[in-house]
Every structure is written in C-alpha cells, then in structure tokens.
C-alpha cells in the first residue's frame, strides 16, 4: 500500500477550521486507501518557544484532535515527532544538502522573520523546512495531504529528495503534495484575503475547534463581507462571501453553485451566516466532546501514541540506515 504522511504543530491548544478542512478532512478520507502516518510535530512547535507545560499539554490535545476528527488509530499510525529521533537525525543530513539562499527564500520563514526581526528569530525556524522534509522522506510517503500554504515546503522536499538521489543513488521516494482544491485555503473571517492562522493578530478571524460553539457563532455573525448585498461566488471582488460559501460547501457537501442559487435575492448574507454557524456547530460539538473525553483520561491516548511511535520507528530507522550508509557514515559496529 502506498504511504501518506502529514502533521500539525502543537503551537496552540485548539486547531482552527482551516486546519480541519484544509488538512484533516482529507487525512480521514485518505486513511482507507493509504498506509497513513499522522504526526504531532512537537519539534516544529518548539520554534515558537512554548513553556514545557504548554508543549506537553498541546501535544496531547493535538493528538486527541486527530482522533476526534476521525483518524482511526487501528488503521493509521498516530505518533509524536520527538518520540522518533530519526526525524532530527535525517534533518541534519538534509541541512547539509540545502543551500543557504534556498532556505532563505522560503516565504513562511521570510514572513515570520519579517515580523520578529533577525534577533528575535531562532535558527530552528530557519531550518524548519528541512525538518519537515525529513518528516516526509523517512516514511517513503508518495502523497502529503496539506493546505496550500505548505506547497513551497513540499517543493523543497521534492528538490532535496531528487538532489540526494542524484548524488548518492536512489534512496528516497519523491512525494507529491495532495492539496484539496475547494478547501486549500480557508480565510480569516476578519481579513478574508489572509489565511485563517493560529498565529494571526486578530483572533476574531479564527474559528477554533475547541471554543464554545456560541463563540464561533458570534465570530461568523461578525464576519467581514461587502456592501454589494447579493450572494455570488467571486473570490476577488467578494472574498468574505466566497470564504463563507466554501466553508458551507465543505461542511454541507453541497456545490458552491447550488448554494449561490439557494441564497439568491437580496439580504441573504444573514441567512448564509446563520446556516454556516449551524454547520460549524454541528461538527464542533461532538469533536469537542470526544477531545474532552480523551484528554480527561489520557491513558488511551498515551497507549495509541506509544504504539504509533513503535511502528513509526520501524519504518524510520530502516530509511535512516539507508541514508547513513549512502552518505558514507561509518557503521557503529
Ligand atoms: N487557513 C488554512 N486553510 C487550509 N489549510 C490550512 N492549514 C493551515 N492553515 C490553513 C493546514 O493545516 C495543516 C497544519 O498546519 P500547521 O500546524 O503546520 O500550522 P500552520 O500551517 O502554520 O497553520 P497556522 O494555523 O497558520 O499556524 P501558524 O499561524 O502558527 O503558522 C497544514 O496542512 C496546513 O497546510
């Protein structure tokens, strides 16, 4: 069976609707056709400087959200990145294969370093894409289900895999990004030209999966739209309405065209928002209840993660052995 790998950073307690629709929904869909690996990438999250308590809590609650969102640990491997030391071991090798300028061109790094300044930016943030490449390449993943914002990092991963194979002989599978067209980019409700993002300054634009449904309803009611008054799908001219239509469509399963007909006529923005709020609440309530259950008694979760780490290490250690041999590291024994 072909493999997939994906992950999320435990940088916050709650996932947002963009993480859920952009990534998790396709994870759930793909787990029946692929040998799937889903990782909580805690080493990536260390780049934002959490306290130890925060990191521990967020790692568990993020894993809980994988399961609550429909990842079946009997079928898929769910694990924590730091439990599998091969990730950082391979990352070092990939660092040595990456050009400084090449890494400096990553737009996510430029955005973040732009906000924090060079002194406030740690080197972990700079080498992040090479660690992400290691996450993927260790598992011979053929596909990586992510949102649009990860496309450039995926391209780098492919480049590094090809470069390694050309220099040292075929070692890695070249992965493809799997980006679901409709939900590739869920936008902020307050700034619908920017993606919904955990680290956004304006949290009113984010729908958090673990917030009270009431709080999300309020945010949806205050979502920025436009003064045109007619529901049409025009992401350029009407980004706020387009975003609400895409969210509706992703959650209800109805086509955007059909929705535009359904909300034809004047003054239908309110009705659209009410329906989106109901759809969000509908997925959120059972999701949140299941997370509370899993986190309340973490024994089950910890068992899943221990089992996941064991299975992940089996695959990762075999790949790393191939890599170490290929580059010429002397065997220890
Ligand atoms: N707005 C989004 N629309 C669709 N997909 C999205 N993803 C993130 N935002 C959107 C996808 O979610 C997965 C997990 O992402 P991550 O944990 O690596 O975090 P991120 O991409 O850094 O997401 P955030 O929320 O924007 O976090 P910050 O603000 O901390 O950078 C990925 O598959 C991503 O594509």
């Amino acid at each position: 069976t072909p493999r997939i790998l994906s992950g999320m950073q435990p940088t916050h307690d709650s996932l947002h609707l963009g993480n859920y629709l952009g990534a998790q929904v396709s994870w759930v869909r793909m787990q029946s056709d692929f040998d799937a690996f889903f990782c909580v990438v805690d080493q990536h999250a260390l780049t934002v400087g959490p306290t130890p308590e925060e990191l521990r809590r967020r790692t568990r609650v993020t894993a809980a959200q994988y399961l609550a969102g429909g990842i079946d640990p009997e079928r898929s491997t769910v694990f924590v990145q730091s439990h599998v030391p091969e990730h950082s071991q391979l990352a070092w090798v990939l660092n040595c294969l990456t050009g400084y300028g090449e890494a400096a061109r990553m737009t996510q790094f430029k955005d973040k370093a732009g906000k924090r300044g060079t002194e406030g930016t740690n080197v972990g943030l700079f080498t992040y894409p090479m660690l992400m490449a290691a996450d993927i390449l260790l598992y011979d993943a053929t596909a990586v289900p992510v949102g649009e914002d990860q496309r450039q990092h995926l391209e780098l991963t492919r480049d590094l895999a090809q470069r390694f194979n050309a220099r040292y002989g075929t070692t890695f599978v070249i992965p493809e990004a799997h980006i679901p067209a409709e939900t590739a980019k869920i936008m902020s409700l307050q700034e619908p030209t920017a993606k919904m993002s955990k680290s956004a300054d304006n949290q009113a634009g984010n729908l958090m999966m673990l917030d009270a449904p009431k709080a999300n309803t309020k945010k949806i009611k205050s979502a920025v739209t436009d003064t045109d008054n007619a529901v049409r799908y025009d992401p350029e001219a009407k980004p706020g309405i387009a975003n609400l239509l895409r969210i509706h469509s992703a959650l209800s399963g109805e086509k955007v065209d059909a929705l535009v007909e359904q909300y034809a006529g004047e003054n239908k923005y309110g009705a659209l928002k009410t329906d989106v709020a109901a759809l969000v609440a509908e997925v959120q309530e059972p999701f949140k209840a299941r997370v509370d259950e899993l986190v309340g008694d973490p024994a089950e979760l910890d068992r899943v993660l221990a089992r996941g780490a064991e299975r992940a290490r089996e695959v990762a250690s075999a790949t790393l052995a191939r890599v170490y041999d290929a580059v010429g590291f002397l065997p220890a024994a």
Side-chain angles (χ1 to χ4, degrees):
T1 342
R3 288 223 183 91
I4 57 171
L5 175 130
S6 198
M8 300 200 198
Q9 303 186 68
T11 47
H12 295 74
D13 287 79
S14 179
L15 301 184
H16 57 66
L17 193 72
N19 301 138
Y20 179 75
L21 291 179
Q24 207 180 6
V25 167
S26 47
W27 296 8
V28 172
R29 211 177 291 136
M30 290 171 91
Q31 70 178 338
S32 41
D33 300 326
F34 290 87
D35 181 17
F37 285 73
F38 300 115
C39 184
V40 179
V41 290
D42 56 343
Q43 289 173 302
H44 288 287
L46 195 62
T47 58
V48 303
T51 66
E53 293 73 29
E54 280 170 343
L55 188 55
R56 267 191 284 274
R57 189 187 67 236
R58 291 169 180 172
T59 300
R60 270 215 185 98
V61 77
T62 300
Q65 288 172 93
Y66 289 6
L67 303 190
I71 301 302
D72 174 3
E74 297 299 324
R75 249 191 304 183
S76 302
T77 303
V78 177
F79 68 105
V80 174
Q81 187 183 33
S82 65
H83 291 173
V84 183
E86 286 81 0
H87 289 244
S88 29
Q89 290 175 291
L90 178 58
W92 178 259
V93 175
L94 297 177
N95 281 340
C96 298
L97 217 67
T98 309
Y100 178 83
E102 190 177 27
R105 275 196 299 277
M106 293 294 118
T107 51
Q108 239 185 55
F109 171 73
K110 286 199 288 187
D111 287 351
K112 294 194 170 165
K115 276 188 203 151
R116 298 174 199 186
T118 359
E119 290 308 314
T121 302
N122 62 63
V123 177
L125 211 53
F126 185 68
T127 57
Y128 180 118
M130 286 67 87
L131 179 57
M132 176 169 159
D135 300 339
I136 297 164
L137 297 178
L138 276 176
Y139 299 93
D140 293 331
T142 51
V144 185
V146 286
E148 180 64 41
D149 59 316
Q150 293 297 332
R151 190 184 286 280
Q152 194 188 30
H153 290 161
L154 242 300
E155 272 309 309
L156 179 72
T157 302
R158 289 167 56 84
D159 289 347
L160 292 175
Q162 274 154 353
R163 196 172 304 161
F164 189 101
N165 287 352
R167 187 173 304 176
Y168 298 111
T170 303
T171 306
F172 293 127
V173 169
I174 315 296
E176 302 267 354
H178 177 93
I179 301 177
E182 295 286 328
T183 52
K185 220 171 178 187
I186 300 298
M187 300 303 192
S188 159
L189 297 180
Q190 284 300 313
E191 209 187 316
T193 50
K195 73 160 187 164
M196 193 175 281
S197 162
K198 283 171 274 183
S199 59
D201 297 332
N202 192 348
Q203 287 295 316
N206 289 349
L207 296 173
M208 305 308 287
M209 296 298 290
L210 298 182
D211 277 359
K214 257 194 196 157
N216 282 333
T217 298
K218 210 169 142 196
K219 287 177 177 177
I220 294 167
K221 296 273 160 110
S222 345
V224 167
T225 53
D226 52 62
T227 53
D228 162 66
N229 224 356
V231 173
R232 281 183 294 115
Y233 187 72
D234 184 346
E236 291 285 314
K238 300 164 70 67
I241 291 296
N243 194 36
L244 291 174
L245 284 169
R246 280 199 308 272
I247 293 173
H248 191 316
S249 169
L251 293 172
S252 65
E254 294 186 49
K255 295 257 182 295
V256 166
D257 290 348
L259 293 174
V260 169
E261 269 177 46
Q262 192 181 318
Y263 296 100
E266 292 202 339
N267 300 321
K268 290 290 165 60
Y269 286 9
L272 173 62
K273 286 179 169 180
T274 304
D275 294 347
V276 169
L279 287 163
V280 171
E282 206 178 300
V283 289
Q284 228 207 308
E285 274 163 10
F287 182 93
K288 193 169 147 48
R290 181 68 180 130
V291 169
D292 289 345
E293 207 174 81
L294 285 163
V295 173
D297 176 16
E300 181 189 345
L301 194 60
D302 290 347
R303 254 196 320 273
V304 166
L305 295 177
R307 199 155 25 92
E310 204 178 310
R311 161 101 174 101
R313 284 208 74 176
E314 272 170 31
V315 179
S317 61
T319 311
L320 189 76
R322 267 179 3 235
V323 170
Y324 270 26
D325 181 54
V327 302
F329 286 152
L330 209 56

